[in-house]
Amino acid sequence: MEPSFQSLRRKSISVFVDDVEIGGNAPVVVQSMTNTDTADAISTAKQIQNLATAGSELVRITVNNEESAKQVPKIKNLLEATGCKIPIIGDFHYNGHELLKKYPECAESLSKYRINPGNVGFGRKKDSQFSAMIEAAIRHKKPVRIGVNWGSLDPALIAKMMDENASLKNPKTSREVTHDALIQSALTSAQRAEDIGLNKDQIIVSCKVSEVQDLISVYGRLAQKCEYPLHLGLTEAGMGSKGIVASSVSIGVLLQQGIGDTVRVSLTPEPGGDRSEEVIVAQELLQTMGIRSFSPLVTACPGCGRTTSTVFQSLAGNIQKYVRQEMPIWREKYPGVEEMTLAVMGCVVNGPGESKHADVGISLPGTGESPAAPVFVDGKKFKTLRGDDIADEFMEILNNYVRTRFGTS
């Protein structure tokens, strides 16, 4: 038997963000980030709720000015009024030390702070401003993510390390030095936070880059150097298929090595696009790797010359959409339904076999085949559908199966 993710998993400390455990033996946590103006409390709360409904377990928001800091308590109140208690993370850059001090209600309302060592302060102000943010976390009993990003590395640190490298007999490449700087910035900042008084079990670390091989290399080394929980993700994955592929490959390779405690797939949405797509991609990545189950997945054939009809494509798409829509309700009413498997196949070649492997499957007729669609339930032929109402009848079979198998009453 192939080793499981849990058996290979790197040992890390458990950190609690409200009731969500990160690290230790806890499941890998999916998180996301809003792209609304945080000063618009209603729009931000609405997007957080949408992300939570899609399955995000943590949501990060930008807190970049006084108006956004003022709105954080209102955002939390709006969410709690609807019963949404998802932890909210405050993303701070440049002025976090001022905002956390001036707006204690904001500091208290957030469940975690994200601090970027590269822009927390510069020159002589850096240490004092970093200390002020850590002291705020200690005061309000909040965990912190030390989140380093290669696009905003501490310029003094990278300049110093580049100079030292240049004097070596066999200097490293600039990319290798950048990797070293990322890791050093994260770990020295985490150690400084501990020295100030933040508990070790209140620290999460990340070293984000935009390229697949760089992420794999940096996290492979980082995982060997610390026991802090690690947050995975490309900092700018990109749009559409490029962003999905880059994120899936990089995060997937690291997860396969047992590295990673929380993930975010940072997709660039289309203008007006659905932000929750990044949540779905992260969930499907974890689920297809067999690490966690979030929602029933639909197996469907890609189509070929034997399947010139688009019926199976439409049915597969409609079922996947329907399952996603129903999951917030199903998750509460039908424990275990997220592990159900479905198959919608388009011809007789692989259709019956794939359908038998699924909990519920249908093999639709291909080009020139008899207009009949056998349905298989738990590996056995259940019924043959014919006529114009095949889709509706199959959906009824699916709903009955969910109620019968997963219902607790």
Side-chain angles (χ1 to χ4, degrees), residues 60-239:
R60 183 159 46 111
I61 63 174
T62 296
V63 186
N64 60 332
N65 53 39
E66 293 194 11
E67 195 55 42
S68 65
K70 290 177 185 177
Q71 295 303 313
V72 170
K74 182 178 179 180
I75 291 167
K76 185 174 182 179
N77 290 337
L78 286 169
L79 291 167
E80 290 185 345
T82 65
C84 182
K85 296 183 179 180
I86 189 168
I88 305 172
I89 303 161
D91 195 50
F92 294 98
H93 300 274
Y94 305 108
N95 58 355
H97 61 291
E98 296 174 348
L99 297 176
L100 288 169
K101 181 178 180 180
K102 189 171 183 179
Y103 298 98
E105 289 187 0
C106 166
E108 184 59 35
S109 296
L110 293 167
S111 300
K112 187 178 80 171
Y113 310 152
R114 184 278 175 107
I115 301 174
N116 184 343
N119 56 34
V120 73
F122 302 100
R124 289 178 295 176
K125 294 181 178 180
K126 178 183 176 181
D127 288 346
S128 63
Q129 291 177 184
F130 179 81
S131 296
M133 295 189 73
I134 298 301
E135 287 164 2
I138 295 169
R139 190 162 57 249
H140 294 280
K141 300 179 181 178
K142 306 294 181 180
V144 165
R145 171 157 70 95
I146 304 294
V148 184
N149 190 309
W150 77 346
S152 53
L153 264 171
D154 179 352
L157 173 64
I158 191 66
K160 175 176 176 291
M161 293 182 71
M162 287 292 184
D163 287 345
E164 290 173 349
N165 181 65
S167 65
L168 297 176
K169 183 177 180 180
N170 297 303
K172 299 179 180 180
T173 66
S174 60
R175 209 173 196 88
E176 290 171 324
V177 176
T178 300
H179 290 185
D180 292 344
L182 283 163
I183 296 168
Q184 182 172 320
S185 177
L187 296 185
T188 57
S189 297
Q191 183 58 56
R192 174 153 174 74
E194 285 192 58
D195 294 342
I196 294 167
L198 192 67
N199 293 334
K200 196 165 191 171
D201 63 0
Q202 291 179 296
I203 300 172
I204 297 167
V205 168
S206 67
C207 288
K208 286 195 167 184
V209 298
S210 297
E211 301 297 332
V212 169
Q213 294 296 345
D214 293 293
L215 193 80
I216 294 169
S217 176
V218 168
Y219 273 87
R221 293 174 55 196
L222 183 63
Q224 295 176 348
K225 292 177 176 289
C226 72
E227 291 186 334
Y228 302 114
L230 300 182
H231 169 69
L232 301 185
L234 294 171
T235 185
E236 289 104 11
M239 297 182 72

